[in-house]
Amino acid sequence: MNSGQDMVSILQLVQNLMHGDEDEEPQSARIQNIGEQGHIALLGHSLGAYISTLDKERLRKLTTRILSDTTLWLCRIFRYENGCAYFHEDEREGLAKICRLAIHSRYEDFVVDGFNVLYNKKPVIYLSAAARPGLGQYLCNQLGLPFPCLSRVPCNTMFGSQHQMDVALLEKLIKDDIERGKLPLLLVANAGTAAVGHTDKIGRLKELCEQYGIWLHVEGVNLATLALGYVSSSVLAATKCDSMTLTPGPWLGLPAVPAVTLYKHDDPALTLVAGLTSNKPADKLRALPLWLSLQYLGLDGIVERIKHACQLSQRLQESLKKVNHIKILVEDELSSPVVVFRFFQELPGSDPVLKTVPAPNMAPSTVGREGHSCDALNRWLGEQLKQLVPVSGLTVMDLEAEGVCVRFSPLTTAAVLGTRGEDVDQLVACIESRLPVLTCTLQLREEFKQEVTRTAGLLHVDDPNWPGIGVVRYEHATDDKNSLKLDPEGGKIHAGLLKKLNELESDLTFKMGPEYKSMKSCIYIGMASDDIDIPELVETIAVTAREIEENSRLLENMTEVVRKGIQEAQVQLQKANEERLLEEGVLRQIPVVGSVLNWFSPVQPSQKGRTFNLTAGSLESTEHTYVYKVQDTGVTPPQTPSGTRTKLRFPGQKPFKKSLRGSDALSETSSVSHIEDLEKMEHLSSGQEQEALEANSPEQHPGAPAPQEAEQTGTFQNRAQGPEDDRPQVEEPENLR
């Protein structure tokens, strides 16, 4: 770096830093698609740098013109008459400046006495419980106020939207603060909450603020609809507030465009002290990108983009109304361009209109489990839709009252992502295609839990974050139920169980992972799109896990059994050698004498050895093998554990599928043939089992003829019947047996 670099090298370096290594993520879009209006906005930043090099007088005139034009256009577009504008990068910065202005306006001696004035009469800032997270903490940090200066106003609980500020409770809080000697300073209302886009009753709030001398500030995405021809009364009331914050960048798809706070105040000195106005040309040049973009788009272009976003939300609302098992959290179809929906399963005995009130005889724990199950399924649905339709700009959020929901906010995403009406139709089609999987999985969850509870050796694990049928854990013999630590033996059993289940090639997906809030291994069963035979599934898991555990025990005990068998064999072989010496005599052991004696009187050696039966764990003699030229089978090994349910499947039918018998989905022609085939298969299998039982029955005589022989000797038997039957039969010769 001793010598400088040329411009081409520097630009190449910047490009490499922007794009990174192309081999790492070839499919990821690192830079959003920027249209011509986006290039105009970006051009404003470079032009601002060039303009700042002008002489002071010309720079002052130019920046004043840009600032005044942009302020005038924004006030006309969004119906805010005689307002001033403050341009800022952070959306919350404008509200912090407004709070400073309110403090200077209400505390006349604040400039002289400072925080001593606030200590004698503490200011109170009122925020809705539905406000965006972290807003109150940000204001206290910027203003240097303690957190008790914040007053969080609850939302409606009985009437109206549960995301709207409770006006009656707000008035009660204001009266209580006044009685305690506090000063109600500022109220932040929402024209479109950050979560679901609901609008507070701004008209009623404005009356309350005028009554108690409180500054009213409004923010929210629904303020964009002020540019349209028709505006709802609740949003239109925001034009009478003391200040509002606009974010035209996301609404119009303009990158690197500042947010704008419009306000009304007559004292320029206080606005200068609060930081809302500045004499620095660089601060005024913040409006240049927006000044260029507004001229490029024009009023028609701005209205068209906002109108298109509202039409997309209305199109999705109308389509989702026709889809079963989808609930829309709608405040007003015309006032909110935000659509929030979630999948739900109607509970037995619930209100068909509200679809959220549980049955009176249903336990709260059951309702809670249903809510957790729907939350996991909605989270899965949202992630699936985001992958299938990425241009929709969906977000998954967790609401306190409703649970996990999916939000579609085209005002903040459509202009940037280029969302069209066809994309909304594709989104609805994807939702409909996923509904059978969601409904089937939710219906099978409770049955799976009950079946696992009834099965010995299995433990059902409640994991609220798993969207599948359920989670199960096999409890082996040495499993410590009270411990949450890692279980190596259980991990081996579950790993083998997972391998066996995946080898079945069923439609279900199986995964292994740690238990919820524990380190023990579990089997996670995925979602189901068809009717699943839950008893067969649970029994297969239990039987397979038990078989793996027994096999692992056999392998662990094999070393000890073999070691003991070898020791016992050595003892028996040594004893056999001693017996052989006593049998042959001492003379035969002398080298020369023994050879002569063996030549005159040879000894017939007996071939004796030992065989080790792994199944029985015992030593046996090999004399039977050498004499009869056949190997003894020893003890019969124990049968492999198997399920009590034996199910016959059609060719091509996958495991865990319910039988077609009794199904209403079969046609009149195909159902009869399939059922007949199933009955034939069952008859054949039962016949084979009966023959096997008769063949192995101890009551049958060993010399009884076979069925074919019985047919050939039938005539002879008929002739032999009569008084001669009482005579004793002649016993067959031994060789004929």
Side-chain angles (χ1 to χ4, degrees):
M1 289 296 296
N2 293 331
S3 60
Q5 298 183 7
D6 57 350
M7 183 179 297
V8 177
S9 301
I10 297 175
L11 293 179
Q12 184 66 37
L13 176 61
V14 173
Q15 183 179 5
N16 295 336
L17 293 175
M18 290 172 57
H19 294 278
D21 190 0
E22 295 293 341
D23 297 334
E24 293 180 357
E25 300 177 359
Q27 298 180 355
S28 63
R30 296 174 178 82
I31 300 180
Q32 67 183 30
N33 296 325
I34 300 175
E36 190 172 351
Q37 75 280 358
H39 288 286
I40 291 292
L42 296 176
L43 181 62
H45 293 275
S46 58
L47 284 178
Y50 279 108
I51 292 174
S52 62
T53 60
L54 296 175
D55 59 272
K56 293 184 178 180
E57 185 62 26
R58 184 170 298 182
L59 179 60
R60 184 186 61 82
K61 293 181 179 179
L62 181 57
T63 54
T64 304
R65 170 70 182 275
I66 293 173
L67 182 62
S68 60
D69 288 350
T70 309
T71 303
L72 180 61
W73 295 339
L74 290 174
C75 290
R76 288 182 178 178
I77 293 173
F78 296 101
R79 308 184 184 192
Y80 197 77
E81 299 179 356
N82 301 325
C84 302
Y86 172 68
F87 300 88
H88 46 93
E89 300 297 333
D90 193 344
E91 296 180 7
R92 303 170 297 180
E93 183 182 351
L95 178 57
K97 302 291 186 182
I98 291 296
C99 290
R100 292 183 184 276
L101 178 61
I103 291 175
H104 284 283
S105 300
R106 297 298 301 273
Y107 295 91
E108 298 179 356
D109 299 333
F110 181 73
V111 178
V112 179
D113 298 335
F115 286 95
N116 292 328
V117 181
L118 302 182
Y119 179 79
N120 296 328
K121 200 171 187 179
K122 297 179 181 179
V124 182
I125 300 175
Y126 300 93
L127 295 176
S128 172
R132 47 181 163 174
L135 180 60
Q137 183 178 2
Y138 172 82
L139 293 177
C140 289
N141 293 336
Q142 293 295 320
L143 301 174
L145 297 177
F147 289 124
C149 292
L150 293 177
S151 179
R152 188 167 296 274
V153 183
C155 295
N156 297 324
T157 55
M158 297 296 296
F159 304 99
S161 171
Q162 295 183 355
H163 300 272
Q164 285 182 347
M165 189 184 302
D166 192 337
V167 180
L169 190 55
L170 171 63
E171 186 174 5
K172 183 177 182 302
L173 291 175
I174 294 174
K175 292 180 179 179
D176 293 342
D177 290 334
I178 294 176
E179 292 178 357
R180 296 191 185 102
K182 298 181 180 180
L183 178 64
L185 181 67
L186 184 138
L187 170 65
V188 181
N190 292 307
T193 55
V196 299
H198 288 192
T199 303
D200 293 328
K201 300 176 181 178
I202 300 178
R204 180 72 181 90
L205 295 177
K206 178 59 178 176
E207 297 176 358
L208 199 63
C209 290
E210 290 179 349
Q211 179 180 355
Y212 293 98
I214 302 175
W215 186 288
L216 178 61
H217 179 83
V218 181
E219 61 179 14
V221 67
N222 292 349
L223 292 176
T225 59
L226 290 172
L228 302 179
Y230 176 80
V231 188
S232 64
S233 58
S234 58
V235 178
L236 188 61
T239 59
K240 305 299 182 182
C241 65
D242 298 307
S243 60
M244 66 169 65
T245 298
L246 309 175
T247 56
W251 300 345
L252 306 177
L254 303 175
V257 168
V260 185
T261 296
L262 302 179
Y263 62 95
K264 297 178 182 178
H265 202 271
D266 299 332
D267 193 345
L270 293 182
T271 57
L272 182 62
V273 173
L276 291 171
T277 58
S278 175
N279 295 324
K280 298 180 181 179
D283 295 337
K284 297 181 180 180
L285 284 175
R286 292 179 184 173
L288 182 57
L290 192 55
W291 183 75
L292 295 174
S293 301
L294 293 179
Q295 292 186 88
Y296 176 81
L297 293 174
L299 179 61
D300 295 339
I302 296 172
V303 172
E304 180 61 29
R305 288 175 180 269
I306 298 176
K307 184 178 180 181
H308 173 68
C310 295
Q311 290 175 350
L312 291 177
S313 63
Q314 293 179 7
R315 186 170 185 169
L316 181 61
Q317 286 180 7
E318 294 297 331
S319 300
L320 292 181
K321 287 180 180 179
K322 305 174 184 178
V323 180
N324 295 327
H325 304 292
I326 293 294
K327 177 184 177 182
I328 309 175
L329 306 179
V330 181
E331 175 199 10
D332 187 351
E333 297 181 6
L334 299 176
S335 64
S336 178
V338 180
V339 183
V340 179
F341 62 92
R342 73 189 309 263
F343 163 78
F344 78 99
Q345 184 74 27
E346 187 173 351
L347 299 174
S350 61
D351 192 343
V353 178
L354 297 177
K355 300 181 180 179
T356 56
V357 181
N361 57 353
M362 183 169 294
S365 59
T366 305
V367 179
R369 288 198 303 268
E370 292 291 339
H372 287 307
S373 300
C374 288
D375 287 347
L377 295 177
N378 278 284
R379 191 176 291 106
W380 175 85
L381 175 62
E383 297 298 332
Q384 288 285 313
L385 296 178
K386 287 168 62 177
Q387 296 178 4
L388 296 173
V389 193
V391 295
S392 61
L394 297 177
T395 55
V396 181
M397 57 183 181
D398 192 355
L399 301 178
E400 183 178 357
E402 292 81 3
V404 177
C405 300
V406 183
R407 179 179 61 187
F408 176 66
S409 182
L411 260 178
T412 58
T413 59
V416 177
L417 300 176
T419 312
R420 302 173 301 173
E422 293 79 5
D423 300 324
V424 174
D425 298 338
Q426 181 185 0
L427 180 63
V428 176
C430 293
I431 294 174
E432 293 177 344
S433 65
R434 295 301 185 273
L435 283 180
V437 179
L438 296 171
T439 54
C440 183
T441 302
L442 191 58
Q443 291 173 359
L444 295 175
R445 278 197 164 197
E446 189 63 27
E447 182 183 357
F448 176 78
K449 181 177 181 179
Q450 295 176 1
E451 191 68 27
V452 170
T453 305
R454 290 193 295 262
T455 305
L458 295 183
L459 176 65
H460 183 269
V461 179
D462 289 325
D463 191 344
N465 299 322
W466 179 247
I469 294 178
V471 185
V472 63
R473 178 163 63 88
Y474 177 73
E475 295 181 322
H476 53 89
T478 60
D479 187 8
D480 188 1
K481 301 180 181 180
N482 298 325
S483 176
L484 300 178
K485 297 181 180 179
L486 187 64
D487 184 14
E489 183 178 355
K492 294 179 182 179
I493 296 176
H494 286 88
L497 177 59
L498 177 65
K499 182 179 179 181
K500 293 286 186 181
L501 293 175
N502 288 329
E503 289 176 354
L504 297 177
E505 296 182 356
S506 64
D507 290 337
L508 294 175
T509 58
F510 301 93
K511 297 181 181 180
M512 188 180 74
E515 182 182 344
Y516 180 65
K517 294 184 179 180
S518 174
M519 296 300 294
K520 294 186 177 181
S521 300
C522 294
I523 297 297
Y524 288 77
I525 304 173
M527 309 183 75
S529 58
D530 200 354
D531 203 3
I532 300 297
D533 193 345
I534 295 296
E536 181 188 1
L537 171 63
V538 175
E539 185 179 10
T540 302
I541 295 175
V543 170
T544 307
R546 196 177 302 116
E547 178 183 354
I548 294 173
E549 182 184 10
E550 293 180 358
N551 292 337
S552 63
R553 287 182 184 176
L554 180 61
L555 293 176
E556 291 175 357
N557 299 332
M558 188 68 66
T559 304
E560 184 67 19
V561 172
V562 171
R563 186 182 63 82
K564 292 181 179 180
I566 293 175
Q567 293 177 355
E568 184 179 356
Q570 291 176 349
V571 173
Q572 293 186 10
L573 289 176
Q574 185 178 1
K575 184 178 181 181
N577 289 332
E578 294 176 355
E579 293 177 355
R580 183 177 60 82
L581 291 176
L582 295 176
E583 181 182 354
E584 294 179 357
V586 180
L587 294 177
R588 294 182 184 273
Q589 309 303 323
I590 301 175
V592 179
V593 178
S595 300
V596 175
L597 188 60
N598 289 333
W599 184 75
F600 282 103
S601 177
V603 179
Q604 298 293 334
S606 61
Q607 298 178 351
K608 294 183 179 180
R610 297 293 183 271
T611 179
F612 183 68
N613 193 333
L614 291 177
T615 304
S618 61
L619 282 173
E620 300 174 0
S621 176
T622 58
E623 183 179 0
H624 184 275
T625 304
Y626 289 110
V627 173
Y628 298 101
K629 307 300 182 183
V630 63
Q631 187 174 0
D632 192 7
T633 57
V635 183
T636 304
Q639 296 183 356
T640 304
S642 59
T644 57
R645 299 183 180 90
T646 57
K647 179 179 177 181
L648 296 175
R649 300 187 181 90
F650 292 118
Q653 183 179 359
K654 294 186 177 182
F656 313 132
K657 292 288 186 181
K658 281 192 176 181
S659 176
L660 298 177
R661 181 191 296 263
S663 177
D664 298 335
L666 297 175
S667 60
E668 297 180 357
T669 57
S670 63
S671 60
V672 176
S673 61
H674 285 310
I675 293 176
E676 290 179 354
D677 293 340
L678 181 61
E679 292 176 351
K680 291 179 180 179
M681 294 172 64
E682 293 176 351
H683 179 70
L684 290 176
S685 62
S686 61
Q688 294 175 359
E689 294 177 358
Q690 183 67 24
E691 292 177 2
L693 292 175
E694 292 176 356
N696 298 328
S697 176
E699 297 177 359
Q700 186 176 2
H701 194 275
Q708 292 83 358
E709 297 175 355
E711 293 178 0
Q712 295 176 2
T713 58
T715 308
F716 175 78
Q717 293 176 357
N718 293 334
R719 293 176 182 177
Q721 292 177 356
E724 299 178 7
D725 293 343
D726 298 332
R727 295 177 299 174
Q729 296 183 359
V730 181
E731 186 176 358
E732 295 181 356
E734 185 70 19
N735 58 353
L736 292 180
R737 289 187 182 180

